Structures are given as structure tokens and as C-alpha cells.
Amino acid sequence: MHLDADGRVSVSYEVASAGRRQVAATSSNEAIRLVLVEIASLLTASAAPSEIVQMNSSEIDATLREGSSLPERVLSKARQQTLGASLPLRLKEHLDSVAAEEATSFAEVCRRFVLFGFEDVVAQSLHASPTSLFEMLGHELQEWDGSTSEQVMVRLDPGHAVRLRSIAKEYQKSISELTVLCTAHGVSLQRTLASLESKVSNCKGASIRNLVVKLGLQPTATPLVSSILAGNVKAPRKLLARLASAFEAPESLLSTLFRGSFDRRLVPAFKAEGVKPRLSTAPATWTSAVKSLNLSAADTKALLDLGV
């Protein structure tokens, strides 16, 4: 167990059937709980017989000597678990329309929104009271409430299925009820994310200078804030909270937006010959970004005091 640069607690563990794994959470207790949930799901998950290829040790050794990789089906894949949920008909019709627009299946769209909403519910449960959390979820669901509902099957990987059941039991909700709430929350988050993305992308020039002032920072911090909005620098926790307030959006959603911006960044063209191109695989840390500006000792300290 160790503390990451962003203040999250990471726990590494190893399971014979799954290799080395790692989980991260905002507290040691939550990280340990996630480890136990993952281990339980790994131990209880089974693979379909048709997904397993039988190979004896001599065949595997021969394959490795030839430099080939093992067939994908040698590793058994955990079978997805099915959860039943009674979706309001209007919400189901909305998911059907999204699936049609994206030329994908209803099952894939439903799973995506359930997981998007569920992960944010878990994140908010760490600091919000159960009463306020479920009042917010219930309010979001009201948009889709109607006289009819339709039973649907939501297929999730074992890890998420176990976690969802655990949270439902903790808050004395049925699996169906929590799944529906998470679906509606995921749709609401997606809308907010689209609006937030527009706000952030329009924050340039004079707008970003005004934002820096609003955040309580000196003008020298402008390039740092610009890099954060582009996803190239990881915002420290205190500054992320200020950004969330400035953009009137949840911290978790801002983090999702910045992470997406980093993942979608353009790959630079490398023209120099004899130089091996290097591309960062993660945003720069706040500490390294601040120090790279070579500011005065006072300004550097003020920025570093915002955390990691």
C-alpha cells in the first residue's frame, strides 16, 4: 500500500489466476474494500467451457520457444453477470435512440451509462451524505418517470456486479433500483460533460486570464492552468476543487474531462533524424510543472502549497 502523487491510496496484490493487480481509492479503508471485492469476484467468476483451450505443458513450452504468443482463449475470460432492472419506458427509449445513433447495441449503451453513473455514485458516497446523494439521484430519475416500465437485462463484468450488489445492500436498495438510478445518473452526467467540455474548450485568451484571477492565482500561473484544461498537467486537489466551483461541475466530472483530453491529444510529428520519439503516457505532475517555470521562490512555494 502506498500514497500516489495525487493523494490517492494504491494497493497492489497478486492472484494466481489473474496475476498482479492494483486498485486505488481516496482512503485506505476504501482501497482495502475494493481489493476484497475484486478478490471475491475473481474467485467466484467462472469461464464458459467453450472459451478454454486445453494445452499441455509441452505444447505451451514449444509455443514459447517459437516466440509465439499463447492463443487468447488459453486464458479463461470471466463470464459477465446479468442484473435485472425495470427501466422507465422513456429512459429505455432514450438508450435505444443513442444505440441507433452510435450503430451499437442497446446492451452496450446501457452498460456504459450504468457504469458511468455507478462510478460517480461511489465517488460521491465518500463525501456526501446518503440522504443528499439519493435525493439527487431520485430527482434525476424523475425526468424519466412514467406510468410504464420495461424489464431489461444489464450485463456487467463480475467485479462491477459484485460492487454494485455491495453498494445496494449497504444503502438498503434493490439491485434493480440502484441499477436504474445509476443509469439515469449516467445519462445526466453525460449531458453535463458535453456542456462542461464546451465551457472548458472556450476558455482561452482573456477568458483563461480571468479564470486564473477567479481561482485566486497569480498571472504567472496562467500557463499551468492552460495545461490543466488541456489535460497535460494533473491538477492538485485544492486547485481541482476551485476549478469545480468555477465551472459549477463535480470534481469527478472535471477529472474525467481532463483525462479524456489527455487521451485524445494529438501525437506530435517528429522530424529529427536519429532521435527516438518519446510521448508521455500520463499527465505531468503539478510539482514538476510548477518547477519547470523557474518562478521566484515565493511564487513557487505558493503554487506547491496547493498540494499534489
Side-chain angles (χ1 to χ4, degrees):
M1 181 183 298
H2 66 277
L3 192 65
D4 290 343
D6 60 356
R8 291 169 63 83
V9 178
S10 291
V11 177
S12 299
Y13 67 98
E14 191 165 341
V15 179
S17 61
R20 189 171 181 81
R21 301 174 69 87
Q22 180 173 309
V23 299
T26 55
S27 68
S28 57
N29 287 340
E30 176 65 9
I32 292 172
R33 186 183 72 81
L34 292 179
V35 169
L36 294 176
V37 169
E38 277 200 4
I39 291 176
S41 66
L42 289 170
L43 293 178
T44 57
S46 60
S50 61
E51 292 182 331
I52 301 177
V53 174
Q54 298 294 332
M55 295 181 69
N56 59 41
S57 58
S58 60
E59 290 174 324
I60 294 176
D61 289 341
T63 302
L64 293 176
R65 282 197 299 271
E66 292 170 1
S68 303
S69 58
L70 294 176
E72 289 184 5
R73 290 186 298 163
V74 170
L75 300 177
S76 61
K77 296 180 180 179
R79 182 184 296 170
Q80 289 186 322
Q81 297 186 13
T82 302
L83 307 179
S86 296
L87 281 183
L89 185 57
R90 291 181 57 235
L91 178 55
K92 182 181 181 300
E93 290 174 344
H94 174 72
L95 299 183
D96 276 326
S97 66
V98 173
E101 290 175 4
E102 298 181 357
T104 187
S105 66
F106 169 83
E108 177 59 33
V109 169
C110 188
R111 176 167 51 249
R112 189 175 75 215
F113 281 116
V114 169
L115 294 181
F116 192 22
F118 174 68
E119 291 296 351
D120 190 69
V121 167
V122 172
Q124 292 200 45
S125 69
L126 298 176
H127 55 78
S129 69
T131 300
S132 62
L133 177 60
F134 282 95
E135 280 182 355
M136 179 266 293
L137 295 175
H139 179 72
E140 291 175 342
L141 184 59
Q142 285 179 2
E143 175 187 352
W144 309 102
D145 277 346
S147 57
T148 59
S149 62
E150 189 170 328
Q151 187 74 9
V152 300
M153 296 294 109
V154 183
R155 294 176 61 81
L156 303 178
D157 64 88
H160 279 107
V162 171
R163 290 176 62 203
L164 193 144
R165 288 193 177 98
S166 174
I167 295 296
K169 183 177 181 180
E170 179 180 349
Y171 291 107
Q172 299 180 333
K173 303 291 182 182
S174 69
I175 300 296
S176 174
E177 184 180 5
L178 182 59
T179 301
V180 172
L181 288 171
C182 288
T183 306
H185 186 51
V187 172
S188 177
L189 284 176
Q190 186 62 45
R191 290 173 175 171
T192 306
L193 185 62
S195 173
L196 179 61
E197 187 172 11
S198 176
K199 287 182 181 179
V200 171
S201 63
N202 290 331
C203 196
K204 301 174 182 177
S207 296
I208 199 167
R209 289 192 292 272
N210 292 335
L211 175 62
V212 170
V213 174
K214 190 174 183 179
L215 295 174
L217 302 177
Q218 297 296 323
T220 52
T222 300
L224 292 172
V225 174
S226 180
S227 294
I228 288 174
L229 299 187
N232 296 324
V233 172
K234 189 172 181 62
R237 297 187 68 106
K238 292 180 181 178
L239 185 53
L240 183 62
R242 296 183 192 179
L243 284 165
S245 177
F247 285 109
E248 299 180 341
E251 291 181 32
S252 58
L253 208 56
L254 266 180
S255 296
T256 298
L257 176 62
F258 296 154
R259 186 165 55 249
S261 297
F262 177 81
D263 292 339
R264 294 190 300 270
R265 71 199 188 285
L266 295 176
V267 177
F270 294 92
K271 298 182 179 180
E273 296 182 0
V275 178
K276 186 176 181 180
R278 297 182 62 184
L279 188 65
S280 59
T281 57
T285 65
W286 177 250
T287 301
S288 63
V290 170
K291 291 182 177 179
S292 69
L293 294 181
N294 297 317
L295 302 174
S296 67
D299 286 345
T300 298
K301 182 180 183 304
L303 291 172
L304 293 179
D305 284 346
L306 293 173
V308 294

